[in-house]
Amino acid sequence: AVPEINKIATIKGEQISNIGSQEMNDEIWLKLANRVSELLTKNDVDGVVIVHGTDTMEETAYFLSLVVKSKKPIVLVGAMRNADSMSADGPLNIFNAVSVAADKNAREKGALVVMNDEIHAAREVTKTNTTNVATFASPNSGKIGTVNYGVVNFYMAPLRKHTVASEFNIKDFKSLPRVDIIYAHPQDVGDFVETAVQKGAKGIIVAGVGNGNLYPDLQAALAKASEAGVIVVRSSRTGSGSTSVSSEVDDAKLGFLTADNLNPQKARVLLMLALSKTSDKAKIQSFFATH
Ligand code: ASP
């Protein structure tokens, strides 16, 4: 039988934007987070489902999870196949997303991504495949639940600070600082770091090789940027694992911070929020250890 969404929830829809998620920008993030916050304060709203392109869904989910002050479910959903393609995945994904948002066990878990019968926590989830419907995964921790034709089961809950426990509140943000990501490789150069600094980046996330390691020229350019007051955070291009403090790179000497086990694009979101509050390195590092 075809499941009916109206049997599980009363839905009121609205459109914030109709861009592809590759066009996502700070302005729409702020607008979306403000609207979600506003909606979740209403007594007749039990949760929010956001239909979002899959390319940058992970960043939007983490952003919302960090700035929206609500215990109610925030669920992001999308599709890997077009509505008119064979075996389109959108309709069932949306049914499952609404089922999760309507489930009382989805409360107090921050923003969630529901795709392909799986429930993922905002901080952990990432897009791992260009085209496969099973693209979303949480490499460091695994999914936190499943949803099968609307039957919701949770097995884990995210422990890092989010929503009501997060140090960030959408009310405090009118704009976000520029934070760039630089992707490391053999025979690397410092040019992109210099350009980022010249163009006004307040923070740089470096997607280092292995455990956040860096080619000497890149490392020197980043150390110079750090000395000039730009916050440099080492992350990894490997896709999982924690970037350890001062394992092969002398962070204390070079002035670098590390991203814990956030991937570069998630680290960028947290650093943008952190830099809006403080430029104190110890404080920013503590955000990476707790959020
Ligand atoms: N490029 C599209 C987007 O992220 C892909 C999708 O819709 O999933 O908006």
Side-chain angles (χ1 to χ4, degrees):
V2 180
E4 281 178 49
I5 283 185
N6 286 335
K7 287 203 173 140
I8 54 166
T10 304
I11 297 173
K12 288 182 200 149
E14 63 180 66
Q15 192 170 36
I16 295 285
S17 157
N18 65 353
I19 56 161
S21 82
Q22 64 274 20
E23 296 168 67
M24 182 52 80
N25 57 49
D26 299 355
E27 193 189 327
I28 298 174
W29 267 353
L30 294 167
K31 188 173 167 193
L32 177 64
N34 275 306
R35 185 62 183 142
V36 168
S37 300
E38 192 183 340
L39 285 169
L40 292 178
T41 59
K42 295 182 191 291
N43 288 335
D44 62 341
V45 174
D46 294 311
V48 167
V49 175
I50 300 159
V51 178
H52 196 291
T54 54
D55 291 352
T56 62
M57 186 187 282
E58 63 189 89
E59 283 126 298
T60 302
Y62 191 42
F63 181 72
L64 294 173
S65 216
L66 290 171
V67 298
V68 174
K69 295 286 171 208
S70 176
K71 293 181 177 178
K72 293 178 184 174
I74 304 162
V75 177
L76 287 93
V77 64
M80 287 302 289
R81 294 181 180 144
N82 286 333
D84 58 356
S85 71
M86 269 196 277
S87 301
D89 56 334
L92 183 54
N93 282 346
I94 290 178
F95 177 74
N96 281 336
V98 173
S99 303
V100 171
D103 192 295
K104 65 177 184 337
N105 292 321
R107 289 173 62 93
E108 297 184 49
K109 293 190 172 56
L112 301 169
V113 166
V114 172
M115 291 282 294
N116 197 39
D117 297 357
E118 297 187 348
I119 308 169
H120 292 267
R123 182 184 183 277
E124 310 302 330
V125 70
T126 188
K127 190 176 187 182
T128 64
N129 188 283
T130 51
T131 54
N132 198 309
V133 291
T135 183
F136 283 95
S138 296
N140 287 308
S141 61
K143 60 183 176 285
I144 65 165
T146 60
V147 48
N148 192 259
Y149 291 99
V151 178
V152 179
N153 276 297
F154 281 99
Y155 298 93
M156 286 183 275
L159 290 180
R160 288 299 180 98
K161 288 186 182 186
H162 59 73
T163 53
V164 292
S166 162
E167 304 243 6
F168 308 103
N169 186 333
I170 190 59
K171 284 198 179 76
D172 302 333
F173 297 95
K174 296 278 168 282
S175 64
L176 294 165
R178 174 169 166 164
V179 172
D180 292 333
I181 299 175
I182 290 174
Y183 199 97
H185 55 81
Q187 195 65 55
D188 219 335
V189 292
D191 306 23
F192 300 112
V193 174
E194 283 160 22
T195 304
V197 175
Q198 268 168 28
K199 295 281 181 187
K202 299 282 176 279
I204 295 174
I205 305 294
V206 58
V209 295
N211 193 356
N213 293 320
L214 307 163
Y215 189 80
D217 293 23
L218 175 60
Q219 181 165 300
L222 287 166
K224 211 171 142 193
S226 166
E227 221 177 284
V230 175
I231 300 295
V232 175
V233 178
R234 289 193 303 113
S235 172
S236 171
R237 64 175 203 177
T238 59
S240 66
S242 184
T243 304
S244 332
V245 180
S246 292
S247 61
E248 292 177 67
V249 178
D250 191 341
D251 292 307
K253 184 173 147 216
L254 298 162
F256 301 159
L257 307 182
T258 53
D260 197 284
N261 65 359
L262 289 178
N263 68 23
Q265 57 270 33
K266 294 275 175 72
R268 176 175 174 269
V269 173
L270 183 54
L271 186 55
M272 287 164 90
L273 294 171
L275 279 168
S276 307
K277 282 203 115 168
T278 181
S279 50
D280 181 75
K281 283 188 186 172
K283 183 75 187 152
I284 295 174
Q285 187 66 77
S286 81
F287 289 141
F288 278 93
T290 50
H291 285 68

